[in-house]
Structures are given as structure tokens and as C-alpha cells.
């Protein structure tokens, strides 16, 4: 029931279902993890940290589930990206305006705290009508950077955006204007 509530976007109902499940058996790491994640999405960092810490302690060492709980806990305390932005060619953009034909680059400097976790980034470029035009999965480069490039040769002018997700959570959205040029 909690998973259905999460899929429907009803986080308070999901929280209530998970709290009932935890009352029946307080040592189920998966329920602790899910409850911590729901509290994080609801903005209650202290409760989220409490349940995620319990999940980390109860998951078996060296498992994917434990690594995911450790990642969620770290994300509560530290930003994943220390810096990020848009660039065209070799220059960082002073504005959010680009001309069709120049490549637009989203870049991000990942916090060293997340290097060992090597999270998977999903970069989704959305055109003026909101459709996904291009998406790319990325891992951290040896220098701690992630970057994705959109080639705009025949792209529609208008208001664009780039969405960056980690572990199914959007961590950044940047908007920019693409003009047809002269």
C-alpha cells in the first residue's frame, strides 16, 4: 500500500502505511529505508536521518541496499553538486541565452563526499514543448566532474530546460533560451 501511495504522490498516506508496517516489526531495514526516504521527500530531515541510520545499521554489509541507504543519508547532509552551470563550447555562459547551432553543455562538479558512491546521473534535455529531446546517463569522471552536451543544430528555438536526476530524484533544473540566430 505504501508503494502505491508513493507512486500516486500521496506521501502522507505512504508515511502512515510505513509507520504501521514498522509498528508490526520495527527491525525491517527495507521499511526503515522507505520511511526515511518518504520523510526526506516530505522535508523532515531529522526523522529521515533517524530512519535511514537505522536502515544502514540493519541492512547487511556490502549490499546494494545498504549502499543506497548510505547514499540517501549522505544526500540529506551534503549537496551532491558543489557547483554546476551551463556552457557553450569552451566558455561558461554568463547568461542563459544560446544560439541555435552552438552546443550547450551542462556541467557539474561533484562533492568529493560522493566519489566512493559513484552515483548514476541522468541528464534530460527538454525542448520548448516539454518533450525529452535527449537524455544521457553519466558517471563521475576521475576529476570529479559530470557533463552532458546538447547539439542544437536543428533544434527548435524557445525556452529549454535541462533536468539532472540522481537515484530517481531531480536534483537540479536549469532553464535557458535558445534563439534561431541571425
Amino acid at each position: 500500500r505504501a508503494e502505491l501511495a508513493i507512486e500516486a504522490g500521496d506521501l502522507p498516506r505512504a508515511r502512515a502505511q510505513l509507520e504501521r508496517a514498522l509498528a508490526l516489526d520495527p527491525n525491517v531495514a527495507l521499511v526503515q529505508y522507505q520511511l526515511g526516504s518518504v520523510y526526506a521527500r516530505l522535508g523532515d530531515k531529522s526523522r529521515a536521518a533517524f530512519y535511514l541510520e537505522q536502515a544502514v545499521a540493519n541492512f547487511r554489509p556490502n549490499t546494494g541496499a545498504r549502499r543506497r541507504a548510505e547514499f540517501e543519508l549522505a544526500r540529506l547532509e551534503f549537496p551532491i553538486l558543489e557547483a554546476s552551470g551551463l556552457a557553450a563550447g569552451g566558455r561558461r555562459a554568463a547568461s542563459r541565452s544560446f544560439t541555435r547551432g552552438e552546443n550547450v553543455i551542462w556541467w557539474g562538479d561533484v562533492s568529493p563526499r560522493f566519489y566512493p558512491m559513484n552515483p548514476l546521473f541522468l541528464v534530460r534535455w527538454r525542448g520548448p514543448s516539454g518533450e525529452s529531446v535527449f537524455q544521457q546517463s553519466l558517471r563521475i569522471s576521475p576529476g570529479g566532474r559530470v557533463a552532458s552536451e546538447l547539439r542544437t543544430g536543428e533544434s527548435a528555438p524557445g525556452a529549454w530546460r535541462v533536468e539532472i536526476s540522481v537515484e530517481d530524484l531531480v536534483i537540479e533544473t536549469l532553464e535557458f533560451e535558445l534563439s534561431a540566430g541571425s
Side-chain angles (χ1 to χ4, degrees), residues 18-165:
L18 290 165
E19 286 174 344
R20 281 189 204 118
L22 203 59
L24 294 173
D25 189 349
N27 296 315
V28 178
L30 182 58
V31 174
Q32 294 165 338
Y33 168 75
Q34 289 173 324
L35 190 53
S37 297
V38 166
Y39 271 116
R41 290 177 64 188
L42 288 168
D44 190 337
K45 286 187 173 186
S46 62
R47 284 200 173 165
F50 173 77
Y51 288 112
L52 289 170
E53 286 170 351
Q54 287 185 345
V56 167
N58 288 324
F59 277 128
R60 284 181 291 172
N62 301 319
T63 62
R66 184 171 182 160
R67 281 190 295 278
R68 174 95 187 227
E70 289 169 340
F71 176 79
E72 293 295 329
L73 188 57
R75 190 166 66 182
L76 280 177
E77 299 175 28
F78 304 98
I80 295 172
L81 298 173
E82 289 185 338
S84 65
L86 296 172
R91 66 174 174 83
R92 290 189 178 178
S95 70
R96 298 266 168 108
S97 297
F98 301 90
T99 304
R100 185 167 54 190
E102 67 182 335
N103 295 343
V104 180
I105 300 165
W106 170 82
W107 59 271
D109 292 331
V110 180
S111 168
R113 172 89 170 148
F114 292 93
Y115 290 2
M117 298 170 195
N118 197 14
L120 181 66
F121 290 78
L122 177 64
V123 180
R124 192 173 281 126
W125 297 88
R126 295 194 179 274
S129 62
E131 79 283 5
S132 179
V133 174
F134 174 66
Q135 70 180 29
Q136 183 177 17
S137 297
L138 306 169
R139 293 282 184 187
I140 303 169
S141 72
R145 178 163 281 197
V146 287
S148 177
E149 185 172 10
L150 175 69
R151 295 190 169 114
T152 66
E154 299 297 321
S155 299
W160 283 67
R161 73 178 187 270
V162 59
E163 296 173 348
I164 297 80
S165 301

